[in-house]
Amino acid sequence: MRTLIVTEFITLDGVIDSPGNGDHPRAGWTFKEVPFVAAAYEIKGTEQLAAGAMLIGRQSYDEFAPIWPTMEEFAEYNAMPKYVVSSTLADPEWNNTTVLRTLDEVAELKQGDGDPILVHGSATLAQGLAAAGLVDRYHLLQFPVTLGEGKRLFDGNGQGTLKLVEHEAYENGVVKLVFDVVR
């Protein structure tokens, strides 16, 4: 069985909305409001090298697909299988992309053999995966920022118990938090 990892940039108050760009009034808070420290982002490179597939929601697909294929630092993501959970996307143009219509299809994908599946972006997708018991691990880079409002990783309906398995703090106040879901 494959490991499903939700990986997010998150604020102190649990918001994951628009960390790089998007429609939140403070979009780009990861680089506009916090000094860059390369070591804080090493987990992102490690994830990319270890992953066997990427899973995203429709909005993340619409944001990533026009940009990521042009970025050399995302070469592994661009080459690997990508899965988009969407009821409306019909003909994805991003290389090696498959549309999944339901969380049951995600569960089937997870049952196969292979390297981890990384979930990027979508709060709605991450919440649905957690509620369905499909999330195995969270990779969070927590930024010393509060936004007060926006899409949150945890929706308040209880996501279960988490066990901290790795952490590190960086000089810019970012904290890497790796949690396994306790079953």
Side-chain angles (χ1 to χ4, degrees):
M1 183 183 321
R2 300 173 84 171
T3 302
L4 195 140
I5 301 169
V6 172
T7 179
E8 301 286 355
F9 298 115
I10 190 167
T11 65
L12 283 171
D13 57 348
V15 175
I16 61 171
D17 201 344
S18 306
N21 61 29
D23 57 7
H24 191 280
R26 287 172 56 194
W29 47 267
T30 58
F31 62 90
K32 291 179 181 175
E33 300 187 32
V34 178
F36 178 79
V37 172
Y41 293 88
E42 286 177 5
I43 190 172
K44 295 301 176 187
T46 303
E47 288 173 344
Q48 191 175 169
L49 294 174
M54 181 169 62
L55 177 67
I56 54 179
R58 174 62 189 266
Q59 184 175 345
S60 295
Y61 173 83
D62 288 345
E63 291 176 6
F64 296 172
I67 299 168
W68 284 26
T70 66
M71 300 177 73
E72 187 176 313
E73 60 267 34
F74 295 141
E76 286 83 5
Y77 284 135
N78 290 319
M80 75 175 55
K82 289 164 285 299
Y83 298 90
V84 181
V85 179
S86 173
S87 61
T88 58
L89 182 62
D91 193 20
E93 296 180 15
W94 194 0
N95 174 52
N96 208 8
T97 299
T98 302
V99 177
L100 303 177
R101 299 291 180 207
T102 67
L103 292 182
D104 288 339
E105 291 180 78
V106 174
E108 289 175 27
L109 175 66
K110 189 177 175 217
Q111 291 301 317
D113 293 327
D115 291 324
I117 302 166
L118 288 180
V119 180
H120 282 277
S122 180
T124 303
L125 177 58
Q127 291 167 4
L129 293 167
L134 296 173
V135 177
D136 299 301
R137 177 172 272 201
Y138 290 92
H139 288 181
L140 306 177
L141 283 181
Q142 185 180 53
F143 284 71
V145 172
T146 58
L147 297 179
E149 61 184 13
K151 297 173 188 166
R152 296 179 185 279
L153 178 56
F154 303 107
D155 62 4
N157 290 323
Q159 305 296 316
T161 302
L162 305 177
K163 177 183 178 189
L164 182 65
V165 294
E166 184 180 344
H167 67 284
E168 188 168 352
Y170 303 96
E171 62 192 67
N172 61 352
V174 171
V175 178
K176 173 178 68 176
L177 300 164
V178 177
F179 294 100
D180 281 344
V181 175
V182 177
R183 291 189 176 36

